[in-house]
Amino acid sequence: MVTGDAAYIKKINRSLIIREIVKEGMISRADLSKATNLTRATISAQVADLLEEGLIIETQLEHYSVGRKPIMLSLNGQAGYALGIDLDYGQISFTLTDLLGCPVSSNIIKVSSVDYTEIFHLLVDQIKKYKANFIDSRYGIVGIVIAIHGLVAKDEVIHYIPKLNWHNIHLKGDLETEFDIPIHLENNANLSSFAERVYVHHETDNLLCATLYSGIGLGMMMNDDFFRGHEGYAGEIGHMIVVPEGKPCNCGNKGCWEKYASESSIFEYLSEKRKINNLTYEHIQKWLDEGDEEVHDLMQQFIFYLSIGLNNMINMYNPDVLVLDSELLRMYPDSLEKISKNLNSSISHYRELMISSIGNKSCVLGACALAIKQFLDVPMLNLSFDFKTNKFENAIM
């Protein structure tokens, strides 16, 4: 039994109720009482407050065969919106979702500059447009979370972004002087792991998500929370050395994992070898379909080195679920089976290895989900979105 002052207990009960409503999608007061072990009186009082605040809505079931039609409660998705921003080298992606985590609009802006001041003003301009367009909803934009492809300290100061060459940047503080909206910064791989947990793996306590695009990042969810390490820099798994005295890396070491098992390593090699400046996934898909021997050999090598690092990760963290976020793995036939065959150690234990069904939107969707979680003040979210049938619509804001 939870003990403490009345306001604290009320806050905990509210969190339990909101989480259960979001989890179930629609639920009656009676079932809510059973699921949370709260009295019907407590449920009635809390629900009345949430209805008045516009956070939940009531719906009467039309098709109910026995007795009175129950009044169902659900979260009011249009009460507010979450803005996720993926701040990457060369482009900035913006996605807006409602409070149910369903995408409303998505926008990508190409950026040629790495100058902080220029990028900061671009962010400010875009956020102002989103804020103006959704000001009519009850809560407007409830939060903004920005994905950082680099080191973010626990105080949310950007320690280092390699490709932008940013050091000790106070982006969060600078944006907070412009907006009265909660703003948070988080590592991009952490946000990808959060999206996997929130949208797909609802029953998973310990999840790893390795993103393989511009390098290799590792997002770690441990007991429904981020594992950040001492200062917040955990997860830079791409700089684990897999080939002693191997290829030089920008970090200063040689033989780092991401020099052998990231998508960028494949793209760099083929771009240079085949003299194609703007190499695309379509090029690689075409070569795979044509049975290009060199490309197939390169993918086999990619999987070989990828498996070495995955074996190390599994032995270090013993995850429930290990998710790989890579477009090349989605393209390459039987890639998951080929990886699994390389993970044959008798001491390696994990429950499930899979390729992300969310794809490269996981980072920005995780940002939106984190903003929703913080606004609703719940310990964890279980959201639903069909990534196969529902596609993001680009909208220039």
Side-chain angles (χ1 to χ4, degrees):
M1 180 178 178
V2 178
T3 59
D5 64 72
Y8 176 67
I9 293 173
K10 183 177 181 180
K11 179 181 178 182
I12 291 176
N13 290 342
R14 176 190 173 96
S15 177
L16 287 172
I17 290 168
I18 293 175
R19 180 179 181 179
E20 200 63 30
I21 292 173
V22 174
K23 176 184 175 183
E24 296 299 326
M26 296 180 69
I27 188 170
S28 68
R29 286 170 173 81
D31 288 339
L32 195 54
S33 178
K34 293 176 185 176
T36 59
N37 290 320
L38 296 174
T39 67
R40 293 200 176 194
T42 298
I43 294 294
S44 293
Q46 290 270 5
V47 165
D49 288 343
L50 292 170
L51 286 168
E52 186 173 343
E53 294 169 23
L55 274 179
I56 64 174
I57 55 176
E58 292 181 315
T59 305
Q60 190 169 50
L61 286 183
E62 293 298 326
H63 304 288
Y64 196 70
S65 57
V66 181
R68 295 175 57 188
K69 297 176 182 177
I71 302 297
M72 307 299 287
L73 305 171
S74 56
L75 189 71
N76 181 6
Q78 284 70 53
Y81 298 88
L83 180 59
I85 302 174
D86 183 5
L87 177 57
D88 201 357
Y89 175 76
Q91 67 178 38
I92 304 176
S93 302
F94 300 81
T95 290
L96 192 85
T97 70
D98 62 19
L99 293 185
L100 293 170
C102 297
V104 174
S105 68
S106 185
N107 178 28
I108 297 176
I109 296 178
K110 299 295 182 181
V111 181
S112 58
S113 174
V114 298
D115 178 70
Y116 173 69
T117 301
E118 188 174 336
I119 291 176
F120 173 75
H121 287 304
L122 188 155
L123 288 171
V124 170
D125 289 343
Q126 290 299 308
I127 292 171
K128 283 181 178 178
K129 291 177 183 178
Y130 275 100
K131 185 178 179 182
N133 285 345
F134 293 90
I135 199 170
D136 291 337
S137 65
R138 178 70 178 263
Y139 294 98
I141 295 179
V142 302
I144 300 169
V145 174
I146 303 175
I148 303 299
H149 293 245
L151 302 179
V152 183
K154 286 184 177 179
D155 60 4
E156 299 183 65
V157 172
I158 298 173
H159 176 66
Y160 180 46
I161 300 180
K163 289 198 172 183
L164 298 179
N165 197 28
W166 287 4
H167 297 265
N168 299 319
I169 297 293
H170 294 257
L171 175 60
K172 172 183 167 71
D174 291 343
L175 286 173
E176 287 176 336
T177 64
E178 299 282 342
F179 301 101
D180 58 350
I181 302 171
I183 295 172
H184 295 281
L185 272 58
E186 185 57 77
N187 173 266
N188 67 299
N190 278 347
L191 291 173
S192 289
S193 69
F194 189 69
E196 296 291 342
R197 167 60 184 82
V198 167
Y199 283 99
V200 182
H201 302 281
H202 293 164
E203 305 303 321
T204 299
D205 292 325
N206 298 292
L207 179 146
L208 302 182
C209 179
T211 58
L212 308 179
Y213 296 106
S214 58
I216 301 180
L218 180 65
M220 295 176 280
M221 295 294 301
M222 301 292 182
N223 297 319
D224 282 345
D225 199 2
F226 293 122
F227 179 81
R228 292 189 174 92
H230 174 56
E231 293 182 321
Y233 305 148
E236 292 299 319
I237 201 75
H239 298 287
M240 168 177 58
I241 295 174
V242 296
V243 180
E245 294 303 311
K247 298 176 184 177
C249 180
N250 293 336
C251 77
N253 279 326
K254 295 180 180 179
C256 289
W257 190 29
E258 66 180 39
K259 301 303 294 184
Y260 298 84
S262 66
E263 291 194 353
S264 59
S265 66
I266 301 290
F267 275 79
E268 287 170 9
Y269 175 84
L270 288 174
S271 178
E272 182 178 348
K273 185 73 182 293
R274 305 199 174 189
K275 309 300 181 186
I276 301 175
N277 291 328
N278 297 311
L279 189 70
T280 66
Y281 288 109
E282 286 73 22
H283 286 107
I284 297 177
Q285 183 68 71
K286 179 175 179 291
W287 294 329
L288 288 173
D289 293 341
E290 292 172 349
D292 188 302
E293 186 175 345
E294 181 184 33
V295 175
H296 277 273
D297 287 345
L298 193 61
M299 286 300 300
Q300 290 284 3
Q301 185 183 61
F302 171 63
I303 283 176
F304 171 76
Y305 283 112
L306 179 60
S307 302
I308 292 174
L310 293 179
N311 182 76
N312 294 339
M313 285 167 48
I314 290 166
N315 286 330
M316 280 190 287
Y317 296 109
N318 182 213
D320 291 344
V321 175
L322 177 54
V323 182
L324 306 177
D325 190 2
S326 163
E327 188 62 32
L328 288 181
L329 292 180
R330 280 186 284 272
M331 292 165 47
Y332 192 54
D334 303 320
S335 58
L336 198 59
E337 290 79 3
K338 291 170 182 174
I339 293 170
S340 297
K341 287 180 180 178
N342 289 333
L343 303 177
N344 49 26
S345 170
S346 60
I347 62 171
S348 295
H349 293 283
Y350 59 94
R351 179 163 58 83
E352 186 176 7
L353 173 69
M354 64 179 298
I355 297 172
S356 172
S357 60
I358 304 177
N360 59 12
K361 294 291 186 181
S362 64
C363 170
V364 73
L365 269 179
C368 293
L370 186 58
I372 295 170
K373 174 183 177 293
Q374 291 166 339
F375 171 69
L376 295 178
D377 195 17
V378 293
M380 182 48 68
L381 286 173
N382 286 352
L383 300 176
S384 298
F385 184 74
D386 190 337
F387 295 97
K388 292 183 179 179
T389 59
N390 294 278
K391 296 182 179 180
F392 287 82
E393 297 296 333
N394 289 328
I396 305 300
M397 301 299 297

